Each structure stands twice: as structure tokens, then as C-alpha cells.
Amino acid sequence: MNQPESIQVGTIETQLGVFGVAWRARGIAALALPRGNAAAIIRALRRAYPDATLADAPTDVARELNEYAAGRRREFDLSLDWSAIKPFQRAVLTVTHSIPYGETRTYAWVAQQMGKPNAARAVGRALATNPIPIIVPCHRVLGSDGGLHGYGGGLPMKARLLKLEGARL
């Protein structure tokens, strides 16, 4: 019988706040946006991953996230663990992952790229539970009216990330 691959959780302090990260050997499984202090973020990650062990975040994840927060990184070179993501959400996240730094698209655009032009609301629901925000840049997806709609880290954080990237709103 195969043993499940162990998962670890830790925090990363950046100019944008304290992030939580969950990872396995194959890559990042989750990135928790700044919400409260490090202890609260670890508690939330441990609810999602009850068997996780607490560890220092991987150096490359901390470095790249800090470079992004400081405006010095436009793309991430990190391995991602997509194993727990269902096919529709994975398709949404794959399209979203292709949106260039500093640019925005709409939920309808993501749906169109997936070949499902009537699925804009479903795209929004899939992005609402994006387990790897920022690295998979769901903050770059706007409503059809060009407005900020929903974001797991709150609309002020979404606006802050888009401003950091120089996106026009």
C-alpha cells in the first residue's frame, strides 16, 4: 500500500503581509493570503491539512514571493502540486496562470479560452477557491464591467496586487 506523500506548512513574511504555504515534495499545494497573524494562518492551513508538519517554508518559495512583493519578480519558477484540483478548476487555473504580469482579463475571457463561453460564473466560483493565489494569478481576473469582484484576500489586497503590477483598472 502506498503511503500518502507528507505535507508541510509554514509561513513567509513579505511586504504584502504574512503568507502561509503548504507543500509536498512535488510542489506547492496551497498558498494562504495574508489574513491575520502567522499563528492564525498556520491554524487555517492545519484545518485544511490536519496531518501536516510545521516547517520553515522552502527557501525558493520565500525568495520568489518576497521578490514579487518587492516588485522585482514578474513570473514564478516554482513547482506546483495540482493533484487535489479537480479537472474543471484545473482548466480554469491553467488559463489564469497564462495571464501576463500587469495585465487583466475577465471571467468571460477565461471561459472563452476554455471553450466554454457560457461558463463565466463557474469560472468565478473556481477562482474563488484557487488554492495557489498570486502564483496562479486570479487577482488578474476582473468582472465584465472591468471592476474588482471577489478575492480571497479581500478587494483591497486584489487592488494592491494589481497596483504593484502596474495594471490599469
Side-chain angles (χ1 to χ4, degrees):
M1 182 188 289
N2 288 341
Q3 289 280 336
E5 190 177 355
S6 66
I7 192 156
Q8 296 177 294
V9 295
T11 58
I12 301 167
E13 195 160 329
T14 74
Q15 293 177 10
L16 294 170
V18 179
F19 288 85
V21 63
W23 70 95
R24 294 180 177 93
R26 71 181 89 151
I28 298 169
L31 186 71
L33 294 165
R35 289 268 204 191
N37 62 26
I41 291 167
I42 291 297
R43 278 193 304 275
L45 285 171
R46 284 209 151 144
R47 276 192 300 276
Y49 302 99
D51 295 331
T53 56
L54 185 61
D56 290 336
T59 306
D60 57 341
V61 178
R63 178 180 39 78
E64 289 194 22
L65 202 53
N66 272 292
E67 289 170 355
Y68 172 83
R72 295 189 315 268
R73 175 169 288 276
R74 296 171 149 256
E75 293 181 15
F76 291 92
D77 298 317
L78 302 167
S79 296
L80 303 179
D81 177 1
W82 300 88
S83 64
I85 300 171
K86 293 185 172 133
F88 179 82
Q89 185 177 33
R90 186 169 181 162
V92 169
L93 297 179
T94 299
V95 171
T96 303
H97 200 228
S98 74
I99 301 171
Y101 181 94
E103 295 184 22
T104 59
R105 302 290 188 271
T106 64
Y107 298 103
W109 180 88
V110 173
Q112 186 73 38
Q113 297 305 300
M114 294 171 56
K116 299 185 180 295
N118 297 319
R121 286 181 189 253
V123 165
R125 285 190 299 275
L127 290 177
T129 57
N130 174 7
I132 315 170
I134 297 185
I135 297 169
V136 177
C138 54
H139 62 278
R140 297 179 189 155
V141 183
L142 307 176
S144 294
D145 62 358
L148 303 179
H149 296 272
Y151 189 63
L155 293 183
M157 176 60 82
K158 185 171 186 168
R160 187 174 177 192
L161 294 172
L162 291 171
K163 181 178 179 185
L164 171 72
E165 295 183 11
R168 292 193 327 214
L169 297 176

